[in-house]
């Protein structure tokens, strides 16, 4: 279960992902108003307008919702003796809008639609700040997703690249050590074409850094690298000499990087990293 936190006017609000949906902690939101979160949540959920909203939401998104139980709660709402809790609502109506958890990250969570409704009941100003921070979190997640996708694409293309090397450049009966040297040599063809240095040269220049030169590539470089890997595999299959391939790949890298560095959509995926590398 993925978990994130946002800071809203000094209050830390927990967000968890359940079935690819965001659920926000009502307990954390209620603490903006009082330390006795359960009482605030209970007062809100027993309100007739709240029950009608919850019933409509469940009707729209939950095919297993029990409308008869919902009607019973709706009729009782407003009576002095009427009480309701998220747990009782879930158990009685088979609702999916709430999740009540125990343990370290325990508390009452609600689907973002419901949580924002609760936040507006607490404070309209507080709700607006939650929306702002929640949107910022989603934007950051999209940027990270873009970076991860580019990294995985580079890995997949690297497999295509190494398979081409295996089929066309590695003679039979070589030792594993000899084969690894050929792989490293071909990897450095791409490193030289894109970065202008071999992996060993980069390590010598950066003794304090962990990983390799590609781990520090920006988004634009990773996009270009994935293209170069595919092209190098094609050039290998065509029987071009390594020196010829290096010249071609370097020219392609220069051309593509000029385009990628000016592309706003690529730069948005990781603007800070691209800015450092420009």
């Amino acid at each position: 279960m993925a978990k994130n936190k946002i800071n809203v006017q000094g209050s830390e609000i927990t967000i968890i992902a359940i079935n690819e949906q965001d659920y926000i902690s009502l307990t954390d939101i209620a603490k903006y108003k009082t330390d006795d979160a359960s009482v605030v949540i209970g007062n809100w959920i027993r309100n007739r307008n709240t029950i009608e909203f919850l019933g409509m939401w469940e009707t729209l998104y939950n095919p297993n919702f029990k409308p008869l139980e919902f009607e019973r709660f709706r009729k009782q709402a407003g009576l002095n003796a009427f009480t309701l809790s998220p747990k009782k609502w879930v158990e009685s109506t088979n609702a999916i809008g709430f999740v009540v958890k125990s343990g370290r990250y325990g508390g009452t969570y609600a689907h973002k639609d419901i949580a924002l409704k609760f936040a507006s009941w607490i404070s309209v100003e507080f709700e607006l700040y939650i929306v702002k921070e929640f949107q910022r979190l989603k934007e950051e997640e999209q940027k990270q997703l873009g970076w991860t996708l580019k990294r995985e694409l580079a890995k997949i293309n690297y497999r295509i690249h190494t398979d081409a090397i295996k089929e066309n450049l590695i003679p039979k009966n070589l030792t594993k050590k000899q084969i690894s040297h050929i792989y490293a040599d071909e990897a450095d063809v791409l490193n030289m074409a894109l970065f202008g240095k071999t992996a060993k040269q980069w390590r010598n220049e950066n003794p304090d850094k962990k990983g390799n030169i590609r781990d520090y590539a920006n988004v634009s470089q990773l996009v270009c690298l994935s293209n170069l890997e595919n092209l190098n595999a094609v050039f290998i299959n065509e029987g071009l000499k390594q020196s010829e391939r290096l010249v071609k790949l370097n020219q392609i890298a220069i051309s593509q990087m000029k385009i990628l560095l000016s592309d706003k959509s690529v730069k948005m995926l990781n603007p800070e990293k691209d800015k450092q590398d420009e």
Side-chain angles (χ1 to χ4, degrees), residues 67-121:
L68 294 180
E69 293 298 322
F70 157 61
E71 283 298 326
R72 181 170 65 86
F73 285 134
R74 192 173 67 84
K75 290 177 180 179
Q76 293 176 359
L79 298 177
N80 292 334
F82 175 65
T83 60
L84 186 61
S85 67
K87 184 177 181 181
K88 184 177 180 181
W89 170 260
V90 170
E91 292 175 347
S92 300
T93 66
N94 202 30
I96 60 173
F98 291 106
V99 173
V100 181
K101 299 180 65 64
S102 59
R104 183 179 178 184
Y105 300 112
T108 300
Y109 293 81
H111 186 277
K112 66 179 186 299
D113 297 344
I114 299 171
L116 292 176
K117 191 74 172 178
F118 175 64
S120 69
W121 184 78

Side-chain angles (χ1 to χ4, degrees), residues 31-165:
K31 287 179 180 177
Y32 174 76
K33 188 172 184 179
T34 177
D35 290 333
D36 198 346
S38 60
V39 171
V40 176
I41 296 171
N43 287 337
W44 172 72
I45 197 173
R46 68 189 293 270
N47 183 280
R48 178 183 290 274
N49 290 336
T50 300
I51 293 175
E52 289 180 346
F53 171 80
L54 295 175
M56 179 59 68
W57 189 92
E58 294 288 345
T59 301
L60 288 173
Y61 300 108
N62 181 7
N64 298 315
F65 181 58
K66 297 179 179 179
L68 294 180
E69 293 298 322
F70 157 61
E71 283 298 326
R72 181 170 65 86
F73 285 134
R74 192 173 67 84
K75 290 177 180 179
Q76 293 176 359
L79 298 177
N80 292 334
F82 175 65
T83 60
L84 186 61
S85 67
K87 184 177 181 181
K88 184 177 180 181
W89 170 260
V90 170
E91 292 175 347
S92 300
T93 66
N94 202 30
I96 60 173
F98 291 106
V99 173
V100 181
K101 299 180 65 64
S102 59
R104 183 179 178 184
Y105 300 112
T108 300
Y109 293 81
H111 186 277
K112 66 179 186 299
D113 297 344
I114 299 171
L116 292 176
K117 191 74 172 178
F118 175 64
S120 69
W121 184 78
I122 293 288
S123 164
V124 173
E125 179 185 7
F126 192 59
E127 177 204 10
L128 292 174
Y129 278 106
I130 289 178
V131 171
K132 180 181 178 181
E133 288 303 309
F134 181 76
Q135 289 175 338
R136 182 194 60 77
L137 174 65
K138 293 291 106 178
E139 289 172 0
E140 289 297 320
E141 287 180 350
Q142 287 300 315
K143 291 176 184 176
Q144 183 61 40
L145 176 61
W147 171 257
T148 302
L149 287 173
K150 295 298 182 296
R151 195 75 173 95
E152 291 303 313
L153 178 61
K155 290 180 180 179
I156 293 169
N157 284 331
Y158 184 70
R159 173 62 186 277
I160 296 172
H161 179 226
T162 54
D163 283 352
I165 296 169

